[in-house]
Amino acid sequence: MSTKPLKQIHLAAHFPGVNNTTVWSDPAAGSHIDFDSFVHFARTAERAKFDFLFLAEGLRLREQGGEIYDLDVVGRPDTFTVLAALAAVTDRLGLTGTINSTFNEPYEVARQFASLDHLSEGRAAWNVVTSWDAFTGENFRRGGFLPREERYSRAREFLSTAIELFDSWDGSEIAADPATGTFLRDARAGAFAHRGQHFDIEGRFNVPRSPQGRPVVFQAGDSEEGREFAASGADAIFGRYGTLDEGREFYADVKGRLAKYGRTADQLKILPAATFVLGDTDAEAHESAHEVRRLQVSGQTAIKYLEHVWNRDLSGYDPDGPLPDVDPETGENTIALGRASVRQFRDPLATARQWRELAEAKNLSIRELVIATTARQTFVGSPATVAGQIDSLVQQDAADGFILVPHITPGGLDVFADTVVPLLQERGVFRSEYEGSTLRDHLGISVPAAREAAGRAAGAS
């Protein structure tokens, strides 16, 4: 009788930017700007043999009610600068950065990622995203805002164009002549010409083919367009779901789209973000998790969050009191600008009705309601319990692994590395040592053939 082999778990670490997830009031909370914070976080992830470190991106300070949102004042450093610096202080850890396809140009981004892949000796990855609001676009030359369907159209062409640039070198164009010691140059080296709806460019790409062939491509998006975009060309997708049923549904849906693009299930990894709270016992961990949630959602934070739905100034309401008796203000103009969470509430009136029903049924205040309805910790328990939870979800095809987001930066990952990882290693589902040197090695994704993908992309343009 055959036994299905155990799937190997992929783990990564997200260094959070400005957010409400971090418990800022904890004495252990450190800077999100100082390089020492990034170094500590990255070295912990590498010590634990994680696949990669992930940086999100914020291109404009968020505003609410016409004022800069208070947690944004620490700012966000440039992604490429941080990842290039981390390449010098790590040896095997993958380095993944979010770079926007709406406001940049393919040549510039491809050159930066190819350079990072060389500097890191094959550890670079690009999380391709689109921008959703004109507010962020005001920082850029074009004003930046595109209709939803055009954003994904541009993103698809942006990625295919970048792949053409990566693949404009096949690795053999420049070689030393053993007889003379001089270099032989192929006339094809770096040559490209792209004619499309969004980009019309021609020239020579000036970064030779990188150690991974091209950087690993990630995609984040749960919409129909996002899932299809990931299936067509991404190497991994960030999922939202940390529960068994939702995770399996998402997993099956996205993996099921691969065949029509000539791809197999193992060519796309599904990696949901996950938070965690650990304790010596399950009971201790659940008690700590409750306290963490209260620290994450202060009274002020609860009011700010409620304003995302109500689209009104609610500063006069008591966070420990009942929900507003007025309905949300609907329309295109929102009180919160630059916040992704605003997009979650496509029907504010329906959301308000549901929240009122929940608050009334459970006698919840504004703050208690926000705590109850916002994201909770994915994994809570003793190290043994959390290791079992993670392993179970992966073995049941709810995910290929998880991107961990600790609630303390930069030291919040340490306890997971020291207690949970050894238990996963004992189960035989997580590496004890890196078996390869590149991020593609860690993820089990092959190096793409040069020019082949570029030819397919050009033919589809």
Side-chain angles (χ1 to χ4, degrees), residues 58-63 72 76 134-139 337-338:
L59 295 176
R60 181 164 180 175
L61 296 179
R62 298 171 295 180
E63 294 181 11
D72 265 28
R76 291 194 184 217
F135 171 75
T136 300
E138 291 173 358
N139 276 352
L337 298 172

Side-chain angles (χ1 to χ4, degrees), residues 135-172:
F135 171 75
T136 300
E138 291 173 358
N139 276 352
F140 295 87
R141 173 173 54 85
R142 288 183 298 275
F145 183 71
L146 295 172
R148 183 183 185 88
E149 62 279 2
E150 195 171 343
R151 292 200 304 274
Y152 274 102
S153 171
R154 178 185 168 90
R156 283 191 292 270
E157 189 177 338
F158 193 112
L159 177 58
S160 69
T161 306
I163 289 173
E164 291 176 49
L165 296 171
F166 292 137
D167 289 346
S168 63
W169 295 72
D170 67 14
S172 63

Side-chain angles (χ1 to χ4, degrees), residues 17-190:
V18 289
N19 62 87
N20 294 121
T21 301
T22 300
V23 178
W24 299 93
S25 58
D26 193 298
S31 171
H32 283 211
I33 294 290
D34 290 347
F35 186 53
D36 286 347
S37 292
F38 291 99
V39 171
H40 180 107
F41 196 81
R43 285 178 171 168
T44 300
E46 187 165 70
R47 171 167 62 83
K49 314 304 179 192
F50 279 23
D51 289 18
F52 61 90
L53 172 146
F54 168 60
L55 294 182
E57 182 180 55
L59 295 176
R60 181 164 180 175
L61 296 179
R62 298 171 295 180
E63 294 181 11
Q64 195 146 330
E67 297 179 350
I68 294 175
Y69 192 65
D70 56 354
L71 293 183
D72 265 28
V73 295
V74 300
R76 291 194 184 217
D78 175 69
T79 298
F80 279 115
T81 304
V82 174
L83 293 182
L86 289 177
V89 297
T90 56
D91 297 312
R92 290 290 183 266
L93 185 69
L95 303 169
T96 304
T98 301
I99 297 296
N100 197 290
S101 64
T102 305
F103 306 126
N104 294 295
E105 296 296 326
Y107 185 94
E108 177 185 30
V109 171
R111 185 169 182 265
Q112 289 171 311
F113 271 113
S115 298
L116 178 62
D117 207 43
H118 278 289
L119 290 173
S120 65
E121 298 181 313
R123 296 185 283 137
W126 171 21
N127 178 34
V128 185
V129 298
T130 65
S131 180
W132 65 279
D133 65 343
F135 171 75
T136 300
E138 291 173 358
N139 276 352
F140 295 87
R141 173 173 54 85
R142 288 183 298 275
F145 183 71
L146 295 172
R148 183 183 185 88
E149 62 279 2
E150 195 171 343
R151 292 200 304 274
Y152 274 102
S153 171
R154 178 185 168 90
R156 283 191 292 270
E157 189 177 338
F158 193 112
L159 177 58
S160 69
T161 306
I163 289 173
E164 291 176 49
L165 296 171
F166 292 137
D167 289 346
S168 63
W169 295 72
D170 67 14
S172 63
E173 288 89 346
I174 298 182
D177 184 337
T180 65
T182 59
F183 285 99
L184 305 176
R185 292 173 173 80
D186 190 318
R188 299 181 307 160

Side-chain angles (χ1 to χ4, degrees), residues 285-361:
H286 281 280
E287 184 178 341
S288 296
H290 178 73
E291 180 60 22
V292 167
R293 290 298 296 136
R294 287 192 60 81
L295 292 172
Q296 289 172 326
V297 183
S298 66
Q300 179 189 14
T301 297
I303 293 297
K304 293 288 189 184
Y305 191 85
L306 203 68
E307 288 181 345
H308 298 174
V309 179
W310 259 255
N311 197 25
R312 295 174 179 270
D313 180 1
L314 302 178
S315 58
Y317 284 84
D318 180 0
D320 294 318
L323 267 65
D325 53 7
V326 296
D327 286 332
E329 182 71 34
T330 59
E332 292 296 321
N333 297 321
T334 60
I335 193 172
L337 298 172
R339 291 193 63 97
S341 59
V342 174
R343 288 175 289 171
Q344 299 174 14
F345 308 114
R346 296 181 180 177
D347 189 344
L349 294 174
T351 300
R353 284 195 299 271
Q354 294 169 359
W355 284 7
R356 285 196 180 107
E357 291 172 1
L358 178 61
E360 183 176 349

Side-chain angles (χ1 to χ4, degrees), residues 430-448:
F430 190 70
R431 68 174 69 89
S432 296
E433 295 294 338
Y434 288 112
E435 297 179 1
S437 60
T438 72
L439 179 53
R440 288 187 179 276
D441 291 334
H442 306 341
L443 292 169
I445 298 172
S446 62
V447 175

